[in-house]
């Protein structure tokens, strides 16, 4: 498999397991009894012949310092379970830390692990901890992952207390969007726990073990989307309450009281955000009655991501500043500097009195400056009065002219452009492959800090029509109105962005561009595209269609890698 140039990796999920002792051969418990398994999910270890064979299989006899492929030097064994082991290692070729899962080639789960690792690597989504290599060599199968030295497990984060509402909102938003993207590519996780979610120093969340952890543990599931959605709901529940939403304790969190059943987070702890509490219940209890408002349950990560996007945005808390300590006067300021010490109990000689400075502007220089400023003010007032009189005389002369009341220079004055209110917006994707449809409303909410953005493309700046004709958004202005111009705020600058306006017949994302009326186009290297329509047209639905994008570096705000991409911040139309 081709090597990726991402910076380092993770290891097997050990949440709920005992720490690895000095005897590396001792197997540990992965806390499966403490987990609630939903849907048709099952851990095959110990439940069928394959699981029994995995339990009997012994991990390869490896040790610190052992090298794989003459490149990956093993440093520390992190997990040893069910015939596989996970290590922290060093990639000596690229001089970076990595994580490695190792199984015997005859292990009953070796083939599923290889397949899962290669499928996960093809996704290439930076919101997941990346698979860097998956190899079968010398009777061994090993999978190399990123190692993230600056990331912290959510287990550790929650040990310090529940998250603020804004942090919990970011957690469920980022994780649900990432898993929705994975499921669109046919990939499931099946083991999303506080130990499989990492938070980086910049506040972004990364998910490790996509597809691979389930294959290593032999987990299968009849309803993978529902299982992953319920797991994300459990993460949100734990983030809001610092409690595990089931009766058993798990991942360092205390479970709910026995016999009480599942209760909403805002009933477990005071001050919990009501909207997030209901969202957690809709995700955790996704096969029946949900929260008190009886809203529909979220059964897929896509539905959960849309529900998060539909919520009012939760702002981060205001930064508090501590009051500085009171100013302390020093001995020098108190007049004791260079004062002779006391002798024989007598006080020292007082310092010489400092003469009082003259009042401001009373010195010779000050008086000269004062007269200069006064003269300048008088001159400025005289000049301003002369210009005002000249302007008034010119206006009177214009009123006496025969054609000055309506025209200037022989041309009629045009009325000022009138802004048009946007009623609704939807993403436009006639090929059936949306970018981020839940963010279309962010492009006309009056907040330039929120935006819709495209995926990252390898070719550009013009999109390859064979792969993607373009990306865009359709706006509904409420009724047919005269459209004379448009202003499109862009998230990325640089050469070059091409934007074209079309008059559409509806908000449908599948109406072909060829059936629409072209209004105007613009190319820009800035962060704003202005389109002036030569012959204004009446329309209710306007398509903003982007067919070329600038090259931009990796963006942690959108979790996107470097490549050709664009985002839309605010769109406005005038008549």
């Amino acid at each position: 498999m081709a090597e990726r140039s991402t910076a380092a990796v993770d290891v097997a999920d050990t949440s709920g397991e005992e720490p690895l002792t000095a005897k590396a051969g001792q197997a540990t418990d992965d806390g499966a009894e403490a987990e609630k398994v939903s849907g048709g999910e099952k851990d095959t270890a110990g439940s069928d012949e394959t699981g029994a064979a995995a339990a009997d299989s012994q991990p390869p006899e490896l040790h610190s310092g052992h090298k794989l492929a003459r490149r990956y030097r093993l440093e520390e064994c992190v997990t040893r379970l069910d015939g596989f082991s996970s290590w922290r290692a060093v990639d000596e070729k690229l001089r970076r830390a990595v994580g490695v899962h190792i199984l015997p080639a005859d292990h009953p789960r070796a083939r599923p692990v290889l397949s899962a690792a290669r499928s996960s690597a093809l996704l290439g989504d930076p919101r997941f901890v990346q698979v860097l290599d998956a190899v079968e060599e010398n009777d061994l199968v090993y999978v190399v992952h990123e190692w993230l030295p600056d990331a912290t497990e959510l287990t550790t984060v929650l040990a310090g207390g529940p998250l603020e509402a804004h942090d919990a909102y970011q957690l469920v938003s980022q994780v649900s969007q990432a898993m929705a993207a994975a499921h669109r590519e046919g990939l499931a996780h099946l083991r999303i726990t506080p130990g499989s979610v990492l938070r980086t120093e910049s506040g972004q969340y990364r998910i490790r073990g996509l597809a691979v952890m389930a294959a290593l543990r032999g987990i299968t599931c009849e309803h993978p989307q529902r299982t992953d959605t319920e797991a994300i709901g459990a993460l949100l529940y734990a983030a809001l309450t610092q409690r595990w939403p089931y009766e058993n304790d798990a991942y360092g969190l205390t479970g709910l009281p026995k016999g009480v059943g599942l209760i909403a987070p805002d009933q477990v702890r005071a001050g919990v955000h009501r909207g997030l509490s209901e969202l957690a219940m809709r995700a955790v209890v996704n096969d029946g009655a949900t929260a008190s408002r009886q809203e529909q349950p979220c059964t897929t990560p896509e539905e959960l991501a849309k529900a998060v996007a539909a919520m009012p945005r939760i702002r981060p808390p205001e930064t508090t500043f501590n009051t500085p300590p009171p100013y302390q006067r020093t001995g020098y300021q108190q007049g004791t500097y260079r004062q002779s010490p006391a002798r024989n109990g007598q006080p020292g000689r007082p310092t010489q009195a400092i003469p009082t400075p003259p009042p401001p502007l009373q010195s010779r220089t000050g008086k000269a400056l004062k007269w200069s400023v006064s003269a300048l003010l008088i001159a400025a007032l005289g000049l301003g009065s002369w210009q005002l009189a000249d302007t008034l005389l010119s206006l009177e002369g214009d009123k006496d002219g025969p054609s000055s009341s309506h025209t200037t220079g022989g041309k009629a004055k045009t009325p000022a452009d009138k802004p048009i209110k946007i009623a609704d917006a939807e993403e436009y994707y006639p090929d059936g492959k949306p970018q981020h449809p839940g963010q279309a409303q962010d492009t006309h909410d009056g907040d330039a800090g929120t935006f819709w953005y495209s995926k990252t493309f390898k070719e550009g700046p013009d999109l390859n029509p064979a792969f993607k004709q373009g990306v865009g958004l359709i706006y509904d202005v409420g009724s047919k109105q005269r459209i004379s111009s448009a202003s499109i705020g862009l998230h990325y600058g640089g050469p070059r962005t091409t934007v074209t306006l079309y008059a559409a017949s509806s908000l449908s994302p599948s109406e072909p561009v060829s059936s629409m009326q072209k209004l105007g186009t613009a190319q820009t290297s800035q962060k704003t595209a202005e389109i002036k329509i030569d012959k204004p047209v009446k329309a209710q639905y306007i398509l903003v269609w982007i067919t070329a994008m600038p090259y931009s570096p990796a963006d942690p705000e959108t979790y996107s890698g470097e490549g050709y991409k664009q985002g839309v911040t605010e769109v406005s139309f005038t008549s």
Side-chain angles (χ1 to χ4, degrees):
M1 176 175 298
E3 182 74 23
R4 295 178 180 271
S5 60
T6 54
V9 174
D10 95 316
V11 294
D13 178 7
T14 57
S15 298
E17 300 174 5
E18 300 174 2
L20 189 68
T21 64
K23 295 181 180 180
Q26 181 179 359
T28 59
D29 179 16
D30 69 346
E33 294 181 358
E35 278 190 79
K36 178 182 181 300
V37 180
S38 64
E41 178 184 347
K42 61 181 180 178
D43 190 335
T44 59
S47 62
D48 54 20
E49 295 180 358
T50 304
D56 294 338
S57 178
Q58 294 297 322
E61 292 297 329
L62 302 172
H63 55 82
S64 297
H66 184 89
K67 287 187 181 181
L68 299 173
R70 299 181 180 180
R71 174 176 181 175
Y72 304 111
R73 185 181 73 249
L74 303 183
E75 293 286 328
E76 178 186 4
C77 186
V78 179
T79 304
R80 195 178 292 269
L81 180 73
D82 287 349
F84 74 88
S85 59
S86 297
W87 295 74
R88 177 176 60 83
V90 173
D91 182 351
E92 294 186 336
K93 182 177 180 181
L94 297 179
R95 297 182 181 180
R96 62 181 179 181
V98 294
V100 185
H101 303 310
I102 306 175
L103 304 87
D106 58 353
H107 193 287
R109 299 176 192 163
R111 296 299 171 190
V113 168
L114 270 179
S115 177
R118 288 167 178 168
S119 299
S120 177
L122 291 175
L123 180 62
D125 192 319
R127 292 171 292 192
F128 294 93
V129 173
Q130 299 293 293
V131 172
L132 305 176
D133 213 347
V135 179
E136 180 178 0
E137 181 181 67
N138 296 332
D139 299 328
L140 292 178
V141 168
Y142 57 90
V143 177
V144 183
H145 295 257
E146 279 185 294
W147 182 279
L148 303 176
D150 67 332
T152 306
E153 282 188 4
L154 188 59
T155 307
T156 304
V157 176
L158 294 180
L163 300 184
E164 295 285 347
H166 173 73
D167 292 335
Y169 173 83
Q170 291 296 325
L171 168 67
V172 67
S173 176
Q174 296 178 24
V175 174
S176 61
Q177 289 182 18
M179 288 309 305
H183 278 282
R184 284 196 292 269
E185 300 298 328
L187 294 173
H189 196 292
L190 305 184
R191 194 174 166 80
I192 301 176
T193 68
S196 62
V197 177
L198 309 175
R199 186 169 76 173
T200 64
E201 290 181 346
S202 60
Q204 298 159 3
Y205 292 93
R206 303 280 299 275
I207 305 172
R208 65 183 180 185
L210 177 65
V212 176
M213 285 310 305
L216 282 169
R217 304 299 178 99
I219 298 174
T220 59
C221 180
E222 296 178 1
H223 305 289
Q225 296 209 49
R226 175 172 291 180
T227 298
D228 282 343
T229 306
E230 181 176 340
I232 299 172
L235 289 184
L236 177 58
Y237 195 106
L240 295 172
T241 63
Q242 203 185 11
R243 300 286 293 267
W244 193 238
Y246 308 108
E247 292 185 350
N248 296 318
D249 300 346
Y251 311 108
L253 300 171
T254 304
L256 298 178
K258 297 185 182 296
V260 176
L262 183 62
I263 54 180
D266 56 358
Q267 298 176 9
V268 175
R269 189 176 71 87
V272 172
H273 189 278
R274 178 67 182 276
L276 291 176
S277 174
E278 294 182 354
L279 192 66
M281 295 296 288
R282 292 174 63 187
V284 174
V285 189
N286 55 29
D287 55 356
T290 59
S292 58
R293 288 169 59 183
Q294 296 295 321
E295 294 190 21
Q296 289 297 318
C298 299
T299 58
T300 67
E302 186 78 37
E303 292 178 357
L304 182 57
K306 290 181 178 179
V308 175
M311 289 180 56
R313 184 176 295 273
I314 300 176
R315 301 294 180 184
E318 296 292 337
T319 304
T320 58
F321 298 95
N322 295 327
T323 304
Y327 180 69
Q328 299 292 333
R329 296 181 63 87
T330 64
Y332 169 74
Q333 292 162 333
Q334 292 171 355
T336 60
Y337 177 66
R338 299 186 69 176
Q339 181 174 335
S340 60
R343 293 183 181 178
N344 299 326
Q346 299 297 324
R349 181 169 54 88
T351 57
Q352 186 176 2
I354 301 174
T356 304
L361 298 180
Q362 294 303 314
S363 64
R364 182 177 299 175
T365 304
K367 292 180 179 180
L369 179 61
K370 182 167 63 175
W371 283 109
S372 299
V373 172
S374 300
L376 289 174
L377 288 174
I378 293 171
L381 288 173
L383 180 61
S385 301
W386 176 79
Q387 290 181 339
L388 178 61
D390 183 66
T391 303
L392 292 174
L393 290 174
S394 299
L395 290 176
E396 289 180 0
D398 290 341
K399 289 180 180 180
D400 296 336
S403 59
S404 60
S405 58
H406 298 287
T407 63
T408 300
K411 294 184 179 179
K413 292 184 178 180
T414 59
D417 290 339
K418 180 181 177 182
I420 299 175
K421 184 178 180 181
I422 297 175
D424 198 3
E426 295 288 344
E427 184 174 316
Y428 177 72
Y429 46 97
D431 58 356
K433 298 178 181 179
Q435 307 292 294
H436 297 94
Q439 298 169 354
Q441 303 298 331
D442 293 340
T443 62
H444 64 95
D445 59 357
D447 184 0
T450 61
F451 55 91
W452 167 93
Y453 60 94
S454 71
K455 295 180 180 178
T456 304
F457 300 92
K458 295 182 179 179
E459 299 180 7
D462 292 311
L463 295 180
N464 185 351
F467 177 73
K468 195 77 173 177
Q469 293 183 351
V471 296
L473 301 157
I474 297 183
Y475 295 89
D476 179 5
V477 296
S479 61
K480 281 196 173 185
Q481 301 194 47
R482 179 178 175 273
I483 310 297
S484 62
S485 65
S487 176
I488 297 96
L490 304 172
H491 187 60
Y492 301 105
R496 62 182 163 74
T497 300
T498 301
V499 185
T500 305
L501 290 187
Y502 290 91
S505 59
S506 68
L507 280 176
S508 170
S510 58
E511 179 184 356
V513 177
S514 58
S515 66
M516 302 181 186
Q517 179 183 359
K518 183 176 179 181
L519 305 181
T521 188
Q523 287 188 354
T524 181
S525 299
Q526 307 301 319
K527 289 190 175 182
T528 303
E530 303 287 348
I531 300 179
K532 188 71 174 177
I533 302 174
D534 294 336
K535 295 181 179 180
V537 174
K538 283 192 173 183
Q540 179 177 351
Y541 305 98
I542 303 100
L543 168 63
V544 175
W545 188 234
I546 302 174
T547 54
M549 307 176 182
Y551 185 89
S552 300
D555 187 354
E557 187 175 5
T558 59
Y559 311 101
S560 60
E562 59 182 12
Y564 296 92
K565 54 191 174 181
Q566 188 54 276
V568 177
T569 56
E570 286 295 312
V571 171
S572 61
F573 302 103
T574 57
S575 61

